[in-house]
Amino acid sequence: MEANLFHDISRLPQERGMLFLPISLSRISNAQSAENCFKYLQHLDSKIVKTSGVGVTVLYGDYLYLLTAKESPKDLRSRYLALMTQHRNGLLNILKKDTAWVSDFFTFKTYGQAMIDFSDIFLGYWQKVLETYENDRFLQKCIAFDSGKDFTQEQAHFILEESLFLYLIKKRIVSFENKIINNHEQWVLEAYPGKPLATETYLMQKNIFNLDDEKNRYQNHFYDADENKLYNLKEIDIEKFFNIKK
């Protein structure tokens, strides 16, 4: 197989599954607006031939942005709460216009809520990842690439924490409640408009925790909802794909 050559999904599995949409607050009013999210979901819905049920988890990255934001906590709380509320209500209102879509298949969470729900699980993994980050030069380069020029330690932790959480979701160490699917999903697929993070890709390839969820056929995958491409993160040549030298 040619490296870094990926295509769209031909069809989604018949087994119960979960589409996972991480929402960046910096993109919540544009690329990840309620209208655009629904377009992504409509495209993925066209890949369903037969299914036992597909749920959708929408996770807003509120807490993560507190690591890097320069505004006061009061101003941030008001602005982020308004953005997330408008997005959630906007998406639910779109769903109400089409009886083929059932709101009970949707779960809405903030990253702050998720961190409380899974704090006993996450912290042990986080300490191990931090240790790896301190000693792994290539991981540091991946984080620098994702963070951009002149990044701070807070921004580096932002990227690392987000990538670790996405890794744990795909390995189904972390899972979210859903009224219909009810934790019986056999697969979880991350969908986001744009390419995967270099950090997320490297964590998946390195797999420092040796996690393997054989039932989840998408445990190593990332779906670019913008270009409609399914990436197998295990098969990406990080040096060539992101232009990061070891």
Side-chain angles (χ1 to χ4, degrees):
M1 179 181 293
E2 184 178 344
N4 301 327
L5 183 63
F6 302 98
H7 305 282
D8 199 356
I9 295 173
S10 56
R11 64 176 61 182
L12 286 171
Q14 294 184 14
E15 299 85 9
R16 288 184 184 181
M18 184 70 69
L19 291 172
F20 175 71
L21 277 59
I23 304 296
S24 297
L25 295 187
S26 61
R27 308 184 76 188
I28 196 171
S29 300
N30 40 72
Q32 289 190 287
S33 66
E35 294 75 16
N36 281 332
C37 282
F38 186 64
K39 289 179 183 177
Y40 305 146
L41 292 172
Q42 283 180 307
H43 177 74
L44 288 168
D45 181 61
S46 71
K47 305 298 180 179
I48 297 175
V49 176
K50 182 179 179 182
T51 180
S52 297
V54 178
V56 179
T57 295
V58 180
L59 184 69
Y60 299 103
D62 62 333
Y63 162 74
L64 285 171
Y65 283 87
L66 296 177
L67 293 174
T68 58
K70 297 180 180 178
E71 300 173 54
S72 71
K74 180 181 178 181
D75 291 339
L76 283 176
R77 180 185 182 279
S78 297
R79 183 159 64 87
Y80 287 169
L81 182 59
L83 285 171
M84 293 185 293
T85 301
Q86 290 168 8
H87 188 276
R88 176 184 179 277
N89 292 342
L91 187 52
L92 289 175
N93 286 333
I94 292 173
L95 299 177
K96 290 177 182 177
K97 297 176 183 178
D98 189 339
T99 56
W101 294 83
V102 181
S103 60
D104 281 351
F105 279 90
F106 285 73
T107 296
F108 297 88
K109 283 275 190 179
T110 69
Y111 191 87
Q113 289 174 307
M115 285 303 295
I116 292 174
D117 291 343
F118 301 104
S119 59
D120 57 330
I121 297 173
F122 184 81
L123 291 178
Y125 287 104
W126 176 239
Q127 291 302 318
K128 175 66 174 178
V129 163
L130 279 178
E131 292 172 10
T132 302
Y133 171 60
E134 293 297 325
N135 298 292
D136 191 321
R137 180 59 181 157
F138 193 59
L139 176 58
Q140 293 170 12
K141 288 185 176 182
C142 289
I143 291 175
F145 175 86
D146 292 327
S147 300
K149 205 173 182 181
D150 301 323
F151 66 95
T152 64
Q153 183 179 20
E154 288 76 18
Q155 289 169 319
H157 282 187
F158 174 111
I159 296 295
L160 190 58
E161 190 171 327
E162 179 182 33
S163 297
L164 173 60
F165 207 71
L166 293 171
Y167 165 86
L168 294 176
I169 288 170
K170 292 175 186 179
K171 299 299 182 181
R172 292 196 300 169
I173 300 299
V174 167
S175 61
F176 298 94
E177 295 180 3
N178 182 279
K179 291 181 180 179
I180 304 297
I181 305 303
N182 196 28
N183 296 116
H184 287 91
E185 63 268 17
Q186 297 297 301
W187 55 269
V188 178
L189 177 61
E190 176 192 2
Y192 183 87
K195 292 179 173 57
L197 292 170
T199 307
E200 179 184 0
T201 303
Y202 183 65
L203 287 184
M204 197 63 67
Q205 291 187 6
K206 192 173 181 68
N207 195 17
I208 61 176
F209 302 108
N210 295 316
L211 297 177
D212 183 19
D213 183 7
E214 293 182 353
K215 287 185 178 180
N216 180 17
R217 67 182 68 190
Y218 297 127
Q219 66 168 319
N220 300 314
H221 290 71
F222 172 99
Y223 188 77
D224 181 345
D226 191 19
E227 295 189 358
N228 300 328
K229 287 183 180 180
L230 179 67
Y231 289 94
N232 185 334
L233 302 185
K234 288 276 194 179
E235 295 178 357
I236 289 179
D237 184 326
I238 295 179
E239 290 189 82
K240 292 181 180 179
F241 189 81
F242 298 104
N243 194 24
I244 303 173
K245 302 301 180 183
K246 286 189 176 179

